[in-house]
């Protein structure tokens, strides 16, 4: 199958040209002006932008968490991602404490294989680093193509590891060319504040927010950065929300340390006032919580300063009925919010259209940087000859309204209900297949492939 896309405005992290793209089978085989090839299909992209397929390196699909499962499966979650222009996601495997990393891998593979519609990869979350786990790090990097290892400095009693385990894991991961991602908040302090608030009868979602003050994230981020510097292990802080944490990264740059930073679309656009509305605030109960307007400004600035390299989602949806598990106790509200389908359009509308970031930055933080950091570049994350034909044809002027009535995520509310945005995903190619066209999905369940990743580098 060959496809010729004509006269599109091709945008990469470095270029902005009007031209044609020729796809043969799964890959891009030519890019140029007035290409005159025979093709099975010719698409006129005049007036449209063409971006590399989005990469969301932070999603949780069918994840067992807080006594329930996140409500998007690999099928519904990766399909919704495609509708929103994201062609590859990276999900998190969670080790069960006391069990091996490989047994968790098998568990996640059993849910993903033959189910995913879009492409996916895995980070391995290490929740119990010990002498049995240690040799598995090398095996994951060299045999499984899984090169990033997630750690939690919070969720005490379930997922959290201590600094002793963190240092040991960092040494092992560095030795074999991997990277550590971290949920950097101080789990002990949060645990103390949660118990204190509950004891005082403060059970509403607002107290989820008040139990995770900025200092818990700033302190843990700084501690993680110091440990990464000491061991020399590449580090990536997930879902950064606030000024205090970003200042720790800024300080690290003064000693020429590279720390990768991800924020999520919700931390750029939403703020903690949403928790003031009684239990409605449960829709945005996530960890870390939404912050203040001043933090949003810091994060936008951080993107432009090159301190924040990735805008992800931490997509972790729960049905409203699941959120009700915490009606009498905020600490029982499943943490997470849905966004994988909205990320690219929201970032374009609120970022590019409102002159907060350039088109090149948009591509960098929504696709290219994640591909580079996580060892998928240039197969993914760019438009170049030989790359996978993962492409988004985008109308930069179409206005539309976000709503749970229209979205494809398996969740019965939207965090962005009624938002009017500009810019719409029209057609999406995944490895040369027209997966989405005019609000319809043509990729089947099982089309999505597991993407093996290469060793990582400390610089991008
Ligand atoms: O609230 C969140 N973020 N839920 C998913 C788990 C995590 O911490 O990433
Ligand atoms: Zn987290
Ligand atoms: Zn997460």
């Amino acid at each position: 199958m060959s496809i010729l896309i004509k006269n599109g405005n091709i945008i990469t992290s470095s270029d902005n040209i009007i031209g044609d793209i020729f796809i043969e089978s799964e890959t891009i085989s030519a890019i140029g002006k007035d290409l005159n090839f025979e093709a099975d299909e010719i698409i006129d992209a005049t007036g449209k932008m063409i971006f590399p397929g989005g990469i969301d390196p932070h999603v949780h699909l069918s994840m067992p968490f807080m006594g329930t499962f996140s409500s998007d499966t690999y099928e519904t979650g990766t399909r919704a991602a495609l509708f929103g222009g994201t062609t590859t996601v990276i999900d998190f495997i969670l080790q069960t404490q006391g069990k091996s990393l490989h047994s968790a891998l098998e568990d996640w593979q059993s849910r993903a294989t033959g189910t995913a519609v879009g492409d996916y990869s895995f980070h391995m979350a290490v929740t119990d680093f010990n002498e049995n786990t240690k040799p598995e790090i090398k095996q994951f990097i060299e045999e499984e193509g899984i090169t990033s290892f997630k750690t939690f400095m919070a969720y005490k009693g379930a997922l959290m590891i201590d600094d002793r385990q963190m240092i040991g894991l960092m040494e092992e991961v560095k030795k074999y060319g991997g990277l550590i991602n971290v949920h950097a908040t101080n789990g002990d302090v949060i645990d103390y504040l949660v118990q204190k608030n509950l004891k005082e009868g403060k059970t509403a979602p607002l107290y989820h927010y008040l139990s995770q003050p900025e200092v818990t994230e700033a302190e843990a981020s700084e501690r993680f950065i110091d440990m990464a510097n000491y061991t020399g292990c590449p580090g990536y802080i997930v879902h950064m929300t606030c000024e205090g944490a970003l200042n720790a990264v800024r300080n690290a740059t003064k000693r020429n340390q590279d720390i990768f930073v991800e924020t999520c679309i919700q931390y750029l656009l939403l703020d903690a006032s949403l928790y003031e509305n009684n239990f409605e605030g449960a829709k945005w109960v996530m960890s870390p919580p939404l912050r203040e307007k001043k933090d949003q400004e810091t994060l936008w600035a951080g993107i432009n300063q090159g301190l924040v390299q990735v805008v992800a989602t931490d997509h972790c949806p729960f049905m409203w009925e699941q959120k009700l598990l915490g009606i009498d106790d905020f600490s029982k509200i499943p943490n997470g919010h849905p966004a994988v389908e909205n990320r690219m359009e929201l970032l374009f509308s609120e970022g590019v259209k409102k002159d907060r970031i350039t088109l090149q930055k948009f591509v960098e933080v929504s696709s290219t940087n994640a591909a580079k950091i996580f060892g998928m570049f240039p197969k993914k994350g760019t438009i170049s000859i030989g790359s996978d034909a993962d492409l988004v044809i985008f109308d930069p002027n179409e206005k539309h309204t976000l709503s749970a009535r229209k979205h494809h995520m398996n969740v019965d509310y939207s965090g962005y209900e009624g938002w009017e945005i500009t810019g719409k995903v029209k057609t999406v190619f995944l490895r040369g297949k027209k997966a989405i066209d005019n609000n319809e999905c043509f990729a089947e369940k099982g089309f999505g492939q597991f993407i093996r990743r290469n060793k990582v580098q400390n610089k991008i």
Side-chain angles (χ1 to χ4, degrees):
M1 180 76 184
S2 59
I3 299 166
L4 183 59
I5 306 174
K6 300 281 296 173
N7 296 317
N9 184 184
I10 303 168
I11 319 277
T12 67
S13 61
S14 55
D15 296 308
N16 182 341
I17 57 160
I18 304 286
D20 306 341
I21 299 173
F22 187 55
I23 302 171
E24 283 180 296
S25 185
E26 295 204 337
T27 53
I28 296 169
S29 65
I31 303 168
K33 281 218 181 280
D34 302 321
L35 295 183
N36 208 2
F37 300 138
E38 293 270 314
D40 296 318
E41 186 179 357
I42 297 179
I43 294 173
D44 180 12
T46 307
K48 306 283 192 305
M49 290 181 176
I50 307 181
F51 304 130
I55 298 174
D56 187 342
H58 192 153
V59 304
H60 301 278
L61 304 175
S62 294
M63 179 175 74
F65 190 52
M66 298 184 74
T68 184
F69 279 80
S70 55
S71 59
D72 259 321
T73 61
Y74 280 85
E75 181 184 358
T76 62
T78 57
R79 187 190 295 126
L82 287 171
F83 273 107
T86 291
T87 46
T88 303
V89 299
I90 314 184
D91 192 17
F92 292 83
I93 303 170
L94 302 184
Q95 178 190 17
T96 302
Q97 290 175 345
K99 292 195 177 170
S100 71
L101 302 184
H102 277 92
S103 74
L105 171 62
E106 282 163 24
D107 204 13
W108 258 256
Q109 281 169 333
S110 74
R111 288 194 282 272
T113 312
T115 309
V117 183
D119 284 358
Y120 64 97
S121 189
F122 294 130
H123 308 284
M124 180 67 234
V126 180
T127 63
D128 189 3
F129 184 67
N130 55 44
E131 285 309 306
N132 297 329
T133 324
K134 202 171 168 180
E136 292 190 284
I137 301 300
K138 179 175 192 281
Q139 291 158 5
F140 265 67
I141 294 174
E142 294 182 355
E143 292 162 30
E144 307 293 352
I146 296 174
T147 52
S148 45
F149 298 85
K150 170 80 174 288
T151 54
F152 292 92
M153 296 169 85
Y155 299 120
K156 195 171 165 61
L159 303 171
M160 181 170 152
I161 62 168
D162 59 23
D163 294 348
R164 186 176 182 278
Q165 293 185 72
M166 181 74 88
I167 285 281
L169 178 62
M170 281 179 166
E171 286 184 345
E172 206 60 16
V173 167
K174 176 189 158 59
K175 206 187 295 175
Y176 297 106
L179 167 147
I180 300 234
N181 347 39
V182 67
H183 173 129
T185 59
N186 185 316
D188 281 310
V189 176
I190 292 168
D191 192 50
Y192 168 77
L193 292 173
V194 168
Q195 298 313 323
K196 182 169 175 240
N197 280 317
L198 289 176
K199 220 166 157 185
E200 291 170 7
K202 295 167 175 168
T203 59
L206 175 66
Y207 293 96
H208 169 80
Y209 163 64
L210 293 173
S211 299
Q212 300 200 30
E214 180 173 359
V215 65
T216 60
E217 190 176 336
E219 184 280 329
S221 300
E222 187 169 346
R223 185 156 37 99
F224 173 80
I225 291 167
D226 284 345
M227 289 188 279
N229 187 48
Y230 172 70
T231 57
C233 183
Y236 176 103
I237 302 180
V238 305
H239 54 40
M240 186 172 284
T241 69
C242 60
E243 187 182 7
L246 196 62
N247 282 342
V249 176
R250 201 185 311 278
N251 281 339
T253 64
K254 294 178 191 159
R255 61 187 176 204
N256 206 20
Q257 182 185 0
D258 291 300
I259 278 286
F260 299 121
V261 176
E262 163 200 289
T263 189
C264 297
I265 192 71
Q266 60 270 27
Y267 300 121
L268 292 166
L269 303 182
L270 306 177
D271 69 73
S273 60
L274 289 166
Y275 298 122
E276 285 162 15
N277 219 357
N278 289 328
F279 198 71
E280 180 81 5
K283 289 179 182 169
W284 299 280
V285 163
M286 61 186 83
S287 293
L290 301 173
R291 303 279 185 205
E292 307 295 318
K293 293 237 182 290
K294 60 109 181 150
D295 297 299
Q296 294 176 355
E297 293 316 316
T298 301
L299 293 172
W300 283 112
I303 290 174
N304 286 322
Q305 291 157 351
L307 293 172
V308 176
Q309 292 83 18
V310 173
V311 178
T313 58
D314 194 5
H315 175 76
C316 190
F318 295 99
M319 293 287 186
W320 185 243
E321 200 185 340
Q322 295 174 288
K323 289 281 184 181
L324 287 172
L325 289 168
I327 185 81
D328 297 321
D329 175 349
F330 69 84
S331 73
K332 294 197 167 63
I333 301 169
N335 283 203
H337 124 297
V340 75
E341 185 170 352
N342 306 132
R343 179 186 69 127
M344 302 275 285
E345 289 177 347
L346 278 170
L347 186 63
F348 183 85
S349 187
E350 297 295 311
V352 177
K353 281 285 183 186
K354 294 194 173 165
D355 270 342
R356 287 165 161 144
I357 55 171
T358 64
L359 271 170
Q360 266 61 49
K361 209 35 133 177
F362 168 78
V363 171
E364 245 186 68
V365 298
S366 65
S367 179
T368 312
N369 283 348
K372 287 182 175 172
I373 293 168
F374 293 112
M376 296 186 281
F377 188 84
K379 176 180 170 64
K380 304 286 190 192
T382 192
I383 300 175
S384 64
I385 293 166
S387 294
D388 280 3
D390 296 351
L391 301 168
V392 179
I393 303 183
F394 193 85
D395 183 337
N397 298 314
E398 186 172 327
K399 292 187 192 311
H400 60 115
T401 306
L402 300 181
S403 170
R405 285 191 305 284
K406 292 192 279 182
H407 73 206
H408 303 84
M409 298 176 282
N410 186 39
V411 56
D412 50 3
Y413 66 86
S414 168
Y416 306 90
E417 189 65 43
W419 278 51
E420 287 178 14
I421 61 172
T422 306
K424 176 122 185 56
V425 171
K426 303 302 288 181
T427 306
V428 178
F429 289 93
L430 172 56
R431 284 179 281 105
K433 180 173 177 62
K434 197 192 276 177
I436 302 290
D437 198 30
N438 277 321
N439 293 320
E440 252 194 277
C441 182
F442 298 94
E444 304 289 327
K445 177 177 176 179
F447 183 74
Q449 282 184 358
F450 172 70
I451 305 299
R452 292 177 64 86
R453 295 185 283 111
N454 298 319
K455 293 189 180 187
V456 302
Q457 54 215 24
N458 225 336
K459 298 204 184 292
I460 55 168

